[in-house]
Amino acid sequence: MAIKKSELYSSLWKSCDELRGGMDASQYKDYILVLLFMRYVTDKYYGKKDALIEVPEGGSFYDLVELKGKKEIGDETNKVIRKMADANDLVGVITVADFNDSDKLGKGQSMVDRLTKLIAIFEDEKLNFAGNGAENDDILGDAYEYLMKHFATQSGKSKGQFYTPAEVSRIMAKVIGIDKNTRQDQTIYDPTCGSGSLLLKAADEAPRGVTIYGQEKDNATVALAKMNMILHGNEMAEIRQEDTITTPEFKNHDGTLKTFDFAVANPPFSTKSWSNGIDPQHDEFDRFIGYGIPPAKNGDYAFLLHFIKSLKSKGKGAIILPHGVLFRGNVEAEIRKNIIRKGFIRGIIGLPANLFFGTGIPAAIIVIDKENAESRKGIFMTDASKGFIKDGNKNRLREQDVHKIVDVFNKQLEIPKYSRMVSIEEIEQNEYNLNIPRYIDNQEEEDIQDIEAHLLGGIPEADIKGLDKYWNTFPTLKDKLFSKADREGYYQLNVSKDEIKNIILDHEEFKNYANEIHSIIDAWIYRHKLALESINNEVDPKILIKELSEDILQSFEGRVLIDNYDIYQYLMTYWLETMKDDVYMILENGWIADKDLVPVELIIDKYLNSEKEIIEDLEAEKAEIVTQKKEFEEEHSGEEGVLEDLKNDKGNITKGSIKTRIKEIKDNSEFSDELAILNDYLEIIDNESLVNKQIKDETKKLNKQVDAKYENLSETEVKELVVNDKWIPFIINEIHGELDSISHRLSSRIKELAERYYETVSQIESDFEDFKNKVEEHLKRMGFVC
């Protein structure tokens, strides 16, 4: 049976994590990723001449496998890895982790067992990278991403900064213009590259490749980044180690800073010691001239100014910085003003809080674009702070959030409460403060209570107008539900509150709208059904899901009441949770009747439904018997109950104890009533046993029929089950759910308004007086004087 890729990654992490020993995840990652590296390069390059990576004799993953169980496994592992490092100039890269460190891996047999198990995890035949092109190597790419995210999650606040969430990285790559037209000779740079995740995501957007440069201060993290470049097919990437601000490594022959076509960065936030080792007043690279010198104890603008200086005259980049850079005063305000005046800032994207592993504070992506900067008249601002889901103790951008941010930014779409182009003049009027809430109000409108309606009744016209998006879609529904009250500016509900939802669902305009929505999804299914049924090992899953998702997004674009990004998310969630695994199983094994690909429930519903109904009827019969038994026990238990004395120490009544008691009293007429009760109870127990046996027999019979059906399923039947009975119904059901949500939102709001103004203040006062008088009358009758 094929294993799902998602299960492979999770089992890989679980197995590794159980063997971690005496170190935290920030250290443990070095061991795991070295072994992943050894397995990858061995699979891909072993025995190949003129390969980019040489796999030397005695320096392969196969040699590590030979060490399992051996007493000197720690020391010998270091030697094997060193041979690989020496052959490829990777000393200090893959030799960072010491596999003979007894403090971290245990002493004696404990180390032997731990390393043996660890190597065995990566020996799994399902982790086979041979023959996979780097750009389509989803086993490696997804496994790497899965591991890095979990390392970052468990590394703690101060040690998780080596990883930028993949969703944020993708946004940054897409908004700076890296795409299919990017040339391999174009350059991208990250001055604080960490593990290289930002650079890798940027490279993913360039099918023809892009030349990569990165610098990182931490030595171990540099090693990680170099490994990851090789793991992802970017063997020629240049990653260097040093402090970027004090000692930038990439320079021209004349000593000036090297400049790049593109840049991305997620520098450490608000570094206090950024200027250690340099005199900012006399910076040899002129990074601060014309702007100002950043505060001595906050390096945010030092990184931003270095970033800007490192871009070519038409260079484009995106950098993540804390929100404080947008509005802090003093020298930072002066620097910000000078950057704005030069026109370098193309846009700002405000992100949700708690996205990053090193900090919980909210951050923003500042998009820098030097091309035509002198003629830039505004800054495009996006407030994406509310689009996310909770993921453990962090927040995470959904697929729809990523797509919406990129679409809105690249197309410069102005959306109320989300995005707008802010003129430089307006920014000047706000003293160059770029705090996003100054320009975009994302607060929900307050639900105002109408005093007159509370006093005199009726539903305010303003609240009815607040539902105009529904009335524009269902023009006559409003008149069906409401009529004008006897006062100007107020309405009254024509129907009872309990009828509202059914009236909406039964209304002809709502039915027509629902039919239109179903027609859209039917057309989408028609366009892609053949492609889904034709999936084979030549299909690229990334291209497949892009075609499916982009088409569904476009199909629902402009539809009122339904957000096309919500529909897009339904598909992407299903892809990530289920369909992606299915497609990879088909690529690997073809359209075979595997129970992960074709769940048992599909087989039963399609071919064995009558047999299923027999079991369901028996289950219902059993439920009735269980209820009858419980009621009987309650009736005949307690102090005077016949069954009470038959209970054992656990409070249960056995069939044997009942039979024993029956035998004791069956010939004594004095106990005839008790005997009848016991016989009735025994009959209930027998009926329960009988129906349990029938359920067991029918289930066993059904399982045999299911197994037989799996063995005889044709490829055509498998395609029918997977495409028509599994994949397509999911998205149709989500559309049904969306339509139900529309009717629910409208009916709930109308009901809320009706209840809010149902009773006027005078009616409430009158009711209060009535209740008060009734209470006083009762008290008088009871002898109390009020």
Side-chain angles (χ1 to χ4, degrees):
M1 181 184 293
I3 187 171
K4 293 182 178 181
K5 293 292 184 287
S6 56
E7 291 176 3
L8 175 62
Y9 309 141
S10 60
S11 64
L12 175 65
W13 168 257
K14 185 178 179 182
S15 300
C16 293
D17 200 38
E18 286 176 354
L19 299 173
R20 189 158 68 193
M23 66 190 106
D24 66 27
S26 66
Q27 298 168 309
Y28 188 54
K29 71 179 186 300
D30 300 330
Y31 291 85
I32 298 303
L33 293 174
V34 165
L35 290 178
L36 182 65
F37 177 89
M38 292 294 291
R39 174 66 197 263
Y40 172 76
V41 296
T42 299
D43 281 352
K44 191 165 184 182
Y45 299 116
Y46 186 81
K48 294 182 179 179
K49 294 181 179 180
D50 302 321
L52 288 171
I53 302 292
E54 178 188 346
V55 183
E57 193 71 28
S60 71
F61 184 77
Y62 303 136
D63 297 294
L64 294 178
V65 172
E66 292 298 317
L67 298 176
K68 290 192 304 180
K70 293 186 177 180
K71 184 179 179 180
E72 302 299 325
I73 187 173
D75 185 50
E76 292 299 318
T77 295
N78 282 340
K79 291 177 181 177
V80 170
I81 293 169
R82 179 68 189 223
K83 287 181 180 179
M84 172 72 79
D86 286 338
N88 296 283
D89 193 24
L90 293 173
V91 175
V93 176
I94 62 174
T95 56
V96 172
D98 180 4
F99 283 82
N100 201 35
D101 187 336
S102 58
D103 291 336
K104 293 178 180 176
L105 296 168
K107 294 180 173 62
Q109 191 60 39
S110 177
M111 176 186 286
V112 173
D113 292 343
R114 179 168 281 117
L115 289 178
T116 296
K117 291 177 181 177
L118 202 52
I119 291 169
I121 290 168
F122 288 91
E123 193 182 1
D124 191 325
E125 63 181 13
K126 301 177 191 71
L127 277 177
N128 188 343
F129 307 118
N132 292 319
E135 67 275 11
N136 293 318
D137 195 351
D138 285 281
I139 299 175
L140 176 69
D142 291 352
Y144 163 82
E145 193 67 48
Y146 191 95
L147 289 172
M148 291 301 288
K149 180 179 176 182
H150 281 72
F151 285 135
T153 300
Q154 294 201 1
S155 289
K157 186 174 181 180
S158 63
K159 298 177 181 177
Q161 297 183 19
F162 58 80
Y163 176 75
T164 301
E167 298 82 10
V168 179
S169 301
R170 283 162 47 206
I171 291 171
M172 295 171 73
K174 290 175 183 291
V175 299
I176 62 176
I178 298 179
D179 56 26
K180 63 182 180 181
N181 298 315
T182 301
R183 303 186 313 274
Q184 192 169 10
D185 64 341
Q186 289 184 286
T187 56
I188 185 166
Y189 167 62
D190 185 342
T192 56
C193 68
S195 66
S197 56
L198 259 173
L199 287 167
L200 289 168
K201 287 300 177 189
D204 282 346
E205 297 296 319
R208 293 190 289 177
V210 63
T211 303
I212 295 174
Y213 297 86
Q215 184 166 334
E216 169 59 37
K217 182 177 181 179
D218 182 74
N219 185 53
T221 308
V222 167
L224 186 63
K226 289 183 177 181
M227 258 195 299
N228 293 338
M229 292 299 141
I230 297 171
L231 285 172
H232 288 78
N234 294 288
E235 292 89 347
M236 305 307 293
E238 284 196 53
I239 307 294
R240 297 183 185 175
Q241 190 263 320
E242 245 322 330
D243 185 312
T244 292
I245 300 299
T246 60
T247 316
E249 284 290 306
F250 297 105
K251 294 177 282 189
N252 299 313
H253 294 302
D254 61 0
T256 58
L257 282 183
K258 181 178 177 65
T259 55
F260 306 90
D261 297 297
F262 302 102
V264 289
N266 181 12
F269 290 176
S270 306
T271 302
K272 289 181 168 49
S273 57
W274 69 271
S275 61
N276 286 359
I278 64 167
D279 178 3
Q281 297 283 354
H282 302 93
D283 176 47
E284 63 178 302
F285 304 106
D286 298 333
R287 290 170 290 189
F288 311 129
I289 291 177
Y291 300 100
I293 297 173
K297 294 187 177 181
N298 193 319
D300 291 333
Y301 271 101
F303 284 108
L304 179 55
L305 292 173
H306 173 87
F307 188 85
I308 291 171
K309 187 74 173 180
S310 299
L311 286 168
K312 291 180 179 180
S313 61
K314 293 185 178 181
K316 297 167 173 55
I319 183 171
I320 300 168
L321 289 169
H323 271 270
V325 301
L326 304 177
F327 55 80
R328 288 194 297 251
N330 300 319
V331 68
E332 290 184 309
E334 183 67 20
I335 296 172
R336 185 170 57 246
K337 178 177 73 173
N338 290 327
I339 294 173
I340 294 169
R341 282 179 168 177
K342 288 180 181 292
F344 288 154
I345 301 177
R346 183 181 177 216
I348 299 167
I349 301 168
L351 298 171
N354 202 27
L355 282 184
F356 301 96
F357 293 96
T359 179
I361 66 173
I365 299 172
I366 299 178
V367 182
I368 304 296
D369 188 352
K370 286 189 173 180
E371 187 172 14
N372 300 320
E374 66 282 352
S375 60
R376 186 159 287 126
K377 302 298 182 184
I379 295 175
F380 191 79
M381 293 193 179
T382 304
D383 185 345
S385 60
K386 292 188 173 182
F388 63 89
I389 58 169
K390 294 294 294 181
D391 186 5
N393 63 351
K394 305 301 291 182
N395 295 330
R396 178 169 57 83
L397 296 173
R398 299 163 295 180
E399 291 297 316
Q400 72 180 89
D401 302 319
V402 173
H403 208 304
K404 184 176 182 178
I405 290 169
V406 173
D407 283 350
V408 167
F409 190 89
N410 286 345
K411 297 174 184 177
Q412 305 279 278
L413 302 175
E414 294 195 302
I415 299 175
K417 298 185 178 295
Y418 187 81
S419 61
R420 64 177 286 235
M421 176 63 75
V422 182
S423 69
I424 298 300
E425 288 79 8
E426 185 177 352
I427 292 169
E428 287 175 351
Q429 291 167 10
N430 280 281
E431 299 179 333
Y432 296 94
N433 187 313
L434 295 177
N435 197 21
I436 296 173
R438 286 202 175 208
Y439 306 100
I440 300 174
D441 178 9
N442 70 1
Q443 299 301 310
E444 296 295 329
E445 292 184 11
E446 187 178 354
D447 193 6
I448 299 172
Q449 300 278 344
D450 188 293
I451 302 301
E452 184 177 338
H454 281 298
L455 291 171
L456 303 175
I459 299 174
E461 184 177 18
D463 286 319
I464 304 298
K465 284 185 67 62
L467 299 170
D468 273 354
K469 64 179 181 180
Y470 295 99
W471 312 139
N472 292 336
T473 307
F474 316 127
T476 66
L477 179 59
K478 175 181 170 183
D479 294 333
K480 177 78 173 177
L481 293 168
F482 300 99
S483 59
K484 289 192 174 183
D486 53 7
R487 299 188 337 277
E488 186 69 26
Y490 292 87
Y491 283 79
Q492 63 185 21
L493 188 63
N494 294 334
V495 300
S496 72
K497 291 178 290 184
D498 296 333
E499 294 179 303
I500 295 171
K501 187 163 186 178
N502 287 335
I503 287 173
I504 294 170
L505 291 173
D506 292 337
H507 197 271
E508 196 65 28
E509 288 167 350
F510 185 86
K511 289 180 179 179
N512 291 339
Y513 177 83
N515 289 335
E516 289 175 16
I517 298 302
H518 285 300
S519 295
I520 293 172
I521 201 62
D522 287 344
W524 177 81
I525 291 167
Y526 177 81
R527 289 193 295 274
H528 298 286
K529 184 179 176 183
L530 181 59
L532 292 173
E533 292 174 343
S534 303
I535 293 172
N536 56 39
N537 58 10
E538 295 182 0
V539 168
D540 186 332
K542 293 178 181 177
I543 294 175
L544 174 68
I545 188 56
K546 184 172 183 180
E547 290 174 349
L548 292 171
S549 60
E550 292 298 321
D551 189 25
I552 206 168
L553 186 70
Q554 187 175 354
S555 295
F556 283 91
E557 186 175 0
R559 295 301 311 183
V560 182
L561 305 183
I562 284 184
D563 187 333
N564 59 327
Y565 289 99
D566 287 340
I567 305 298
Y568 171 84
Q569 183 64 41
Y570 294 143
L571 175 60
M572 292 306 299
T573 298
Y574 186 61
W575 170 260
L576 294 170
E577 293 179 353
T578 300
M579 195 173 168
K580 183 178 181 182
D581 277 331
D582 289 349
V583 170
Y584 276 103
M585 279 191 280
I586 294 167
L587 296 183
E588 187 174 342
N589 305 305
W591 293 88
I592 63 169
D594 181 278
K595 287 186 178 179
D596 278 322
L597 181 62
V598 185
V600 170
E601 294 77 15
L602 285 183
I603 297 288
I604 293 173
D605 289 341
K606 185 87 170 180
Y607 301 107
L608 300 166
N609 198 50
S610 59
E611 289 82 351
K612 173 187 171 184
E613 288 177 355
I614 291 172
I615 296 174
E616 288 175 344
D617 291 341
L618 288 170
E619 293 282 4
E621 184 180 342
K622 176 185 175 180
E624 290 181 7
I625 294 171
V626 169
T627 301
Q628 181 188 4
K629 181 182 176 184
K630 184 177 180 181
E631 292 173 350
F632 196 92
E633 289 172 349
E634 290 175 353
E635 182 181 353
H636 297 289
S637 293
E639 290 185 13
E640 303 296 328
V642 169
L643 302 179
E644 189 66 29
D645 293 336
L646 299 179
K647 292 181 179 179
N648 58 23
D649 293 341
K650 294 182 179 180
N652 299 323
I653 303 170
T654 65
K655 188 174 181 179
S657 65
I658 297 170
K659 286 186 173 181
T660 299
R661 181 58 179 165
I662 288 175
K663 189 175 182 180
E664 291 172 354
I665 65 175
K666 68 177 181 178
D667 296 326
N668 191 334
S669 59
E670 183 182 344
F671 295 100
S672 58
D673 289 343
E674 180 182 349
L675 186 63
I677 292 170
L678 292 176
N679 281 321
D680 287 344
Y681 188 59
L682 192 60
E683 183 180 357
I684 293 172
I685 292 175
D686 288 339
N687 288 340
E688 184 180 21
S689 297
L690 176 63
V691 76
N692 279 334
K693 184 179 184 305
Q694 289 174 321
I695 290 171
K696 184 177 179 181
D697 291 343
E698 290 295 333
T699 302
K700 187 176 180 180
K701 177 182 172 184
L702 177 62
N703 289 338
K704 284 184 178 180
Q705 291 173 301
V706 168
D707 290 340
K709 191 63 188 175
Y710 271 112
E711 291 178 6
N712 294 298
L713 278 177
S714 66
E715 182 177 297
T716 300
E717 287 176 309
V718 172
K719 288 182 178 181
E720 174 77 16
L721 285 162
V722 174
V723 177
N724 293 334
D725 298 336
K726 184 180 181 182
W727 292 347
I728 290 175
F730 173 83
I731 193 68
I732 291 175
N733 288 337
E734 293 297 332
I735 298 297
H736 277 298
E738 192 65 25
L739 288 169
D740 190 59
S741 294
I742 292 171
S743 62
H744 178 73
R745 289 193 296 268
L746 177 57
S747 61
S748 296
R749 178 58 176 168
I750 294 171
K751 188 174 183 180
E752 178 187 16
L753 292 171
E755 290 175 345
R756 177 182 296 174
Y757 301 114
Y758 177 69
E759 284 189 311
T760 62
V761 172
S762 59
Q763 287 174 317
I764 294 171
E765 290 175 345
S766 176
D767 290 342
F768 174 77
E769 285 299 320
D770 288 343
F771 285 124
K772 178 183 174 184
N773 293 334
K774 287 178 181 178
V775 171
E776 288 177 351
E777 287 297 322
H778 281 300
L779 290 172
K780 285 179 182 178
R781 286 199 294 269
M782 294 169 65
F784 294 97
V785 178
C786 299

